[in-house]
Amino acid sequence: MKFYTMVSNIDSFLDNAKEQYEFWKNSYRKGTKEYSNHVSEIIKIFDLKGKNKFHTENAPKYWAGDISKRNPKFIIVSLNPGLREKDQKITSVATDSEGWKTYMKNRSNWFSGTRFQDSKYWQKHYKFFCGMNNKIPEEPMDGDYLLKNVLNLNLFPYHSNQSENFPSKFTVKQLEVVLHHLALVFDLIEEKKPRYCFFNGKVWKTLLIKHQLIDIKFSEPKLFKENIQGGKFSMYFGKKRKTRYVIFDKFLSRTHYYGVTDDDLNSDIPNFIKERLGS
């Protein structure tokens, strides 16, 4: 295999995304299995099963938002883009394949589409990001507010229906798949200089704390809530230069299982963070 789909010798996040987009587009237009075979190889390396398997036909989605914006206030790094089962046939494959400029536009326009308003992920995160700016959430969600303030990056650019099948410790081969792209993610974060950078999900505890893959010293876990079964939702805090870093040890969109309410998302969690890192 020449290279894993998300890894290349390109030196910037956006250039790497463009190279992999072109790889997907050429494979799609020619009707070959070259791109999907590479994604299938990654599925095999991580032993992904059932709904956790990456979709092999969609364009890679490295980010959502306006990546050309110089200094977004917030960056959130997630594991991979989700895809509801009922939306599997409703993709932007045809328009994505029109070219890089159209693809870039689609990534920004996500916040103005119907699927954005239906997204459970963004319904939760929108409340949180409003709270970080002391803003009252609106209905329907204010996509322009998110476009102005938030850039969403993905570790893996491949859609899946679930993201719960990743290891608590990565093998050498698994790390080989993510390391170069992870370096590009952090290069982009340092270039953008957000006020806050959030990492969403337990995989980040594995990569950034257990494997210590970056030079940021994080705090011990700070417990925010515990459910009646003893399940805990905690955060880790760190700083580097002017950016404040927060790791959520669970997916923020699934914290209702730990007793987290909409009021928590819009008020108590932002206050919990600001008390420890400043506003």
Side-chain angles (χ1 to χ4, degrees), residues 76 116-132 137 141 146 200 248 251-267 269-270:
I76 183 164
F116 161 67
Q117 292 293 337
D118 292 339
S119 169
K120 300 297 184 184
Y121 175 96
W122 282 109
Q123 287 168 13
K124 296 288 187 180
H125 286 75
Y126 173 65
K127 293 180 177 70
F128 167 69
F129 285 117
C130 285
M132 289 299 299
M141 291 185 287
L146 289 175
N200 192 25
F248 300 123
F251 288 119
L252 199 61
S253 55
R254 297 179 63 81
T255 51
H256 57 283
Y257 293 118
Y258 303 91
V260 173
T261 66
D262 286 349
D263 285 342
D264 288 331
L265 290 167
N266 188 233
S267 178
I269 292 177

Side-chain angles (χ1 to χ4, degrees), residues 4 6 12 17 33 44 62-63 74 83 113 139 141 151 154 160 164 169 177 179 217 219 227 234 240 260 265:
Y4 297 124
M6 64 190 298
S12 83
K33 292 291 185 181
K44 185 187 301 183
Y62 282 86
W63 79 91
F74 308 116
L83 186 66
E139 292 185 10
M141 291 185 287
L151 178 63
N154 292 307
S160 67
E164 301 172 352
K169 187 174 182 179
V177 175
L179 274 175
K217 182 175 176 57
S219 69
N227 64 19
S234 300
K240 185 176 181 182
V260 173
L265 290 167

Side-chain angles (χ1 to χ4, degrees), residues 232-249:
K232 298 177 180 180
F233 169 50
S234 300
M235 304 173 213
Y236 300 78
F237 300 97
K239 288 184 181 180
K240 185 176 181 182
R241 301 187 179 93
K242 293 184 178 181
T243 298
R244 293 133 165 90
Y245 292 85
V246 181
I247 298 174
F248 300 123
D249 73 346

Side-chain angles (χ1 to χ4, degrees), residues 182 202 210 220 228 234 236 246 279:
L182 185 62
K202 68 178 182 180
K210 184 175 288 188
E220 292 298 314
I228 58 175
S234 300
Y236 300 78
V246 181
S279 56

